[in-house]
């Protein structure tokens, strides 16, 4: 559980295997909640928060229950239920305890239940990280680090994209390109730019 | 065969319980107006606490 392992997992998940631009997960909030930077920041924070907690829970559930009892085939449905319940609990907790946090995250929490990036990372942790021989704590550490990097990568992209969209609103874009078409072109160019980071690790 | 059924049943009951509990807790008054936010227009989530 060294710092190198942690840094590699973070950089790899954040820049190289970016969840939006490389894995094409979480496209719905990427396009839907990126019209304003403030909304993008709130959504990113909520995704990061839930992604880290859900990764820890789903990895533990798989390693300690599903694999142990020989029922890994129900992992997808179990993970969906875990994520949906977790979002409800997190919303409830924040509603009761912190009004400031609720103001910034509250409205985005229900959206996360249907965010496929959360489920994708939970499944990815099992497919790419988990092995029979890997010690539980080491796997959990890598899974949580990857989730942290993925959440940060999600935030980076959605914030950059929202800033570009705000700028585009004030630009002289031809009528046929206004709105979604120019946004998709921008997303494609961003994806190509991030492809250039593929060799840094 | 019994273990997966029990596991799924327990997870479903946890979800239903958390959903009911969350619905019972009212949204603080000062945040009720955030439903006018444009973010709400793109979401069709049935479990959203803001849905009127």
């Amino acid at each position: 559980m060294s710092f190198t392992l942690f840094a590699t997992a973070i950089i790899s998940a954040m820049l190289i295997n970016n969840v939006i631009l490389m894995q094409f997960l979480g496209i719905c909030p990427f396009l839907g909640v990126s019209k304003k930077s403030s909304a993008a920041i709130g959504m990113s924070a909520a995704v990061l928060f839930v992604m880290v907690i859900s990764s820890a829970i789903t990895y533990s559930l798989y390693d300690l229950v599903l694999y142990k009892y020989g029922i890994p085939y129900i992992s997808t449905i179990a993970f969906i239920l875990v994520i949906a319940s977790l979002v409800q609990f997190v919303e409830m907790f924040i509603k009761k305890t912190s009004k400031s946090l609720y103001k910034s995250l509250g409205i985005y929490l229900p959206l996360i239940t249907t965010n496929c990036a959360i489920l994708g990372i939970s499944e990815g942790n099992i497919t790419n990280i988990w092995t029979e021989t890997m010690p539980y704590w080491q796997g959990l550490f890598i899974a949580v680090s990857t989730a942290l990097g993925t959440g940060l990568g999600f935030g980076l992209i959605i914030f950059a994209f929202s800033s570009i969209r705000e700028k585009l609103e004030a630009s002289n874009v031809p009528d046929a390109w206004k709105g979604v078409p120019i946004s998709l072109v921008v997303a494609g160019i961003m994806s190509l730019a991030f492809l250039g980071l593929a060799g840094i690790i | 065969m019994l273990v997966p059924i029990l596991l799924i049943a327990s997870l479903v009951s946890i979800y239903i319980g958390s959903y009911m509990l969350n619905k019972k807790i009212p949204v603080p008054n000062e945040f009720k107006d955030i439903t006018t936010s444009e973010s709400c227009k793109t979401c069709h989530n049935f479990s959203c606490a803001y849905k009127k």
Side-chain angles (χ1 to χ4, degrees):
Chain A
M1 282 187 254
S2 64
F3 177 75
T4 315
L5 200 65
F6 176 71
T8 308
I10 293 270
I11 292 171
S12 169
M14 190 175 167
L15 301 174
I16 300 166
N17 293 316
N18 189 279
V19 69
I20 296 174
L21 299 178
M22 296 298 152
Q23 300 178 44
F24 304 110
L25 295 172
I27 297 293
C28 176
F30 175 62
L31 294 173
V33 199
S34 59
K35 284 181 183 167
K36 284 185 178 177
S37 303
S38 54
I41 292 169
M43 184 68 186
S44 311
V47 166
L48 179 66
F49 193 64
V50 173
M51 197 176 267
V52 171
I53 300 173
S54 68
S55 285
I57 294 175
T58 51
Y59 187 89
S60 305
L61 181 74
Y62 188 88
D63 194 85
L64 303 175
V65 181
L66 299 181
Y67 177 71
K68 197 176 172 185
Y69 289 98
I71 46 171
Y73 54 87
I74 60 162
S75 64
T76 305
I77 192 160
F79 290 177
I80 291 170
L81 288 165
V82 166
I83 293 164
S85 310
L86 183 69
V87 169
Q88 298 293 333
F89 278 118
V90 168
E91 190 181 350
M92 208 181 335
F93 180 75
I94 291 176
K95 215 188 273 183
K96 276 281 190 189
T97 54
S98 169
K99 285 189 175 177
S100 56
L101 197 60
Y102 185 72
K103 194 179 179 184
S104 31
L105 301 186
I107 196 160
Y108 305 106
L109 284 171
L111 277 169
I112 291 171
T113 316
T114 51
N115 186 345
C116 62
I118 309 280
L119 180 64
I121 295 310
S122 298
E123 286 283 4
N125 284 339
I126 303 307
T127 314
N128 305 323
I129 297 168
W130 184 88
T131 55
E132 279 181 59
T133 51
M134 183 180 278
Y136 166 69
W137 288 108
Q138 190 185 348
L140 184 67
F141 177 73
I142 299 171
V144 170
S145 307
T146 306
L148 185 65
T150 306
L152 290 172
F154 181 90
L156 175 76
I157 298 304
I158 202 168
F159 179 70
F161 190 60
S162 65
S163 306
I164 295 171
R165 282 185 84 173
E166 279 181 355
K167 188 101 176 158
L168 281 172
E169 288 290 317
S171 304
N172 187 20
V173 179
D175 284 346
W177 288 80
K178 273 185 182 167
V180 177
I182 192 72
S183 301
L184 291 174
V185 170
V186 169
I189 294 168
M190 284 175 76
S191 185
L192 284 173
F194 268 74
L195 207 60
L197 298 170
I200 61 170
I201 288 184
Chain B
M1 190 61 198
L2 196 63
V3 179
I5 294 168
L6 282 175
L7 185 71
I8 295 294
S10 59
L11 286 172
V12 168
S13 47
I14 288 171
Y15 174 68
I16 292 170
S18 63
Y19 175 76
M20 299 300 281
L21 275 173
N22 194 20
K23 275 279 176 192
K24 275 186 183 174
I25 297 171
V27 176
N29 283 333
E30 58 263 47
F31 303 132
K32 282 191 173 165
D33 61 334
I34 57 177
T35 47
T36 55
S37 161
E38 66 179 85
S39 309
C40 266
K41 292 173 189 166
T42 52
C43 169
H44 302 286
N45 194 338
F46 81 96
S47 66
C48 181
Y50 300 99
K51 212 174 229 180
K52 289 171 184 172

